[in-house]
Amino acid sequence: MGKRVSLVLGSGGARGYAHIGAIDVLTERGYEIVAVAGSSVGSLIGGLYAAGKLPEYTAWVTGLNQRDVLRLLDVSLGGPGVFRLERVLARMTQYLDGVQIEDLPIPYTAVASDLGSRREVWFTRGPLEAAIRASVAIPAMITPIMVNGRLLVDGGVLNPVPMEAVIGVDADFSMAVNLSGEKTRHFTASPVRESAAQGPPHEWLDRFRRTTAGVWENDFVASILARFNHPETSQRPYDPAPPGLGIADISWMSLEAMESLITRYRLAALPPDVLVTVSADAARMFDFHRAVELIELGRTLTEAALDEAFGDESGEDVPAEGLPHEIEA
């Protein structure tokens, strides 16, 4: 079985810890990662791996609790994003120490999205830290940055699992880790026709529970039902948003809905030889205190995917095709 693998790591917030588990399994089984590309958290984990700094990062994040995570998220009042990530970036600066992408021992690509030109930006040269920072700028959540006149946000906006970035790599097979899977909740891309007339809560509460699983705690459901049964709200032709719902929740749910659909179509057009799929409800966006659990999830899913795909046999190379715009960080 061939041991050279090109690795693509998808976007997905805290679920990105699963990427660490995936990389651990590959290295433990003797695979050689000969190229890595990533969007958002995938660019972060992939960049740290390429720079040889993933063990230090893993040791740090596995020691974080929920209070530590809250301290790390710098709130930005009145800016283009809720968080600046300055404290996290200070830690990244220590790890990366000015490393340039072109000096990494393996080819690396960080994918960001240029809001002005509405196109993907592939960082294949320049400061690794800047490339990662551009790729992780979740719209409305993490402040965007400017690089060479481009206003850059999260790579997952346009390409959540950037398979195109490893086309033509001299590898025995390609593997992608998709963090937007839908294993526990079955959605369809087809539209649904619905009446705007408000029905009683007992008719739709079960659907609400299923479609928003993992976003709110269970005790929210009871409070929602009580609120919608209140005489004042029952006279309206619609319901207000659930209590406790903030801009972070809506921004993240909107981005995930978009990324899920984009991923489905793009992977259908250019599938990897091995696909590791992490369910979208495995963790919420800022569950960065759950590193140990999510790393183990990545290990388990990667082991299963490799065993199912190959056993003891190798995959085949991915054919080369055209590439989008590349830019220096």
Side-chain angles (χ1 to χ4, degrees):
M1 176 178 178
K3 292 292 188 179
R4 294 168 56 84
V5 54
S6 56
L7 181 62
V8 179
L9 304 176
S11 60
R15 294 191 298 277
Y17 285 143
H19 293 324
I20 300 174
I23 290 172
D24 286 346
V25 170
L26 288 172
T27 56
E28 288 169 7
R29 292 194 176 193
Y31 293 102
E32 179 188 2
I33 299 174
V34 296
V36 61
S39 282
S40 196
V41 67
S43 74
L44 170 62
I45 302 300
L48 288 166
Y49 170 76
K53 300 299 182 179
L54 191 56
E56 293 94 324
Y57 176 80
T58 302
W60 175 50
V61 298
T62 51
L64 295 176
N65 58 37
Q66 196 164 17
R67 181 172 295 181
D68 295 328
V69 172
L70 291 175
R71 290 196 191 103
L72 288 168
L73 298 175
D74 310 285
V75 177
S76 174
L77 299 177
V82 178
F83 305 111
R84 292 188 300 267
L85 290 189
E86 296 300 327
R87 295 187 181 112
V88 174
L89 291 174
R91 177 73 66 150
M92 292 301 100
T93 298
Q94 294 176 16
Y95 291 146
L96 300 177
D97 193 27
V99 66
Q100 301 292 302
I101 296 173
E102 57 267 35
D103 295 331
L104 294 173
I106 62 174
Y108 165 84
T109 304
V111 177
S113 301
D114 182 345
L115 291 183
S117 66
R118 302 182 182 181
R119 69 190 301 188
E120 295 172 44
V121 174
W122 291 9
F123 287 109
T124 57
R125 303 183 306 280
L128 178 57
E129 180 182 348
I132 291 173
R133 177 60 180 86
S135 184
V136 302
I138 302 170
M141 299 306 305
I142 298 174
T143 53
I145 64 170
M146 294 284 291
V147 175
N148 296 325
R150 299 179 184 274
L151 181 61
L152 300 173
V153 296
D154 196 291
V157 170
L158 294 178
N159 199 346
V161 186
M163 285 298 303
E164 297 85 350
V166 298
I167 291 176
V169 171
D170 182 16
D172 296 307
F173 68 96
S174 61
M175 187 178 99
V177 183
N178 170 26
L179 304 179
S180 302
E182 298 168 352
K183 287 186 175 180
T184 60
R185 287 179 287 162
H186 300 286
F187 296 109
T188 175
S190 60
V192 59
R193 295 183 184 275
E194 179 64 272
S195 170
Q198 178 63 33
H202 71 269
E203 293 183 359
W204 50 256
L205 190 58
D206 181 62
R207 179 171 67 245
F208 178 82
R209 285 193 185 101
R210 287 184 284 106
T211 57
T212 60
V215 179
W216 297 284
E217 303 297 338
N218 290 334
D219 57 0
F220 265 124
V221 174
S223 66
I224 291 167
L225 183 58
R227 179 176 178 178
F228 290 162
N229 280 334
H230 194 279
E232 292 182 4
T233 59
S234 62
Q235 301 302 314
R236 297 173 182 166
Y238 59 89
D239 292 321
L245 184 66
I247 186 173
D249 301 306
I250 289 298
S251 297
W252 186 241
M253 290 178 71
S254 300
L255 184 62
E256 285 202 322
M258 177 184 68
E259 287 187 354
S260 177
L261 188 62
I262 293 173
T263 299
R264 190 181 314 171
Y265 286 122
R266 298 197 75 147
L267 288 183
L270 188 59
D273 296 306
V274 178
L275 177 62
V276 178
T277 301
V278 179
S279 174
D281 53 11
R284 290 176 291 185
M285 174 172 56
F286 289 124
D287 282 350
F288 289 105
H289 57 289
R290 296 173 56 192
V292 173
E293 170 192 348
L294 293 167
I295 290 171
E296 186 58 33
L297 176 62
R299 290 183 59 90
T300 301
L301 295 173
T302 302
E303 288 171 347
L306 288 170
D307 291 344
E308 180 180 355
F310 295 139
D312 292 327
E313 296 184 8
S314 172
E316 297 180 354
D317 292 342
V318 178
E321 294 181 11
L323 302 177
H325 183 66
E326 297 186 13
I327 179 175
E328 181 175 351

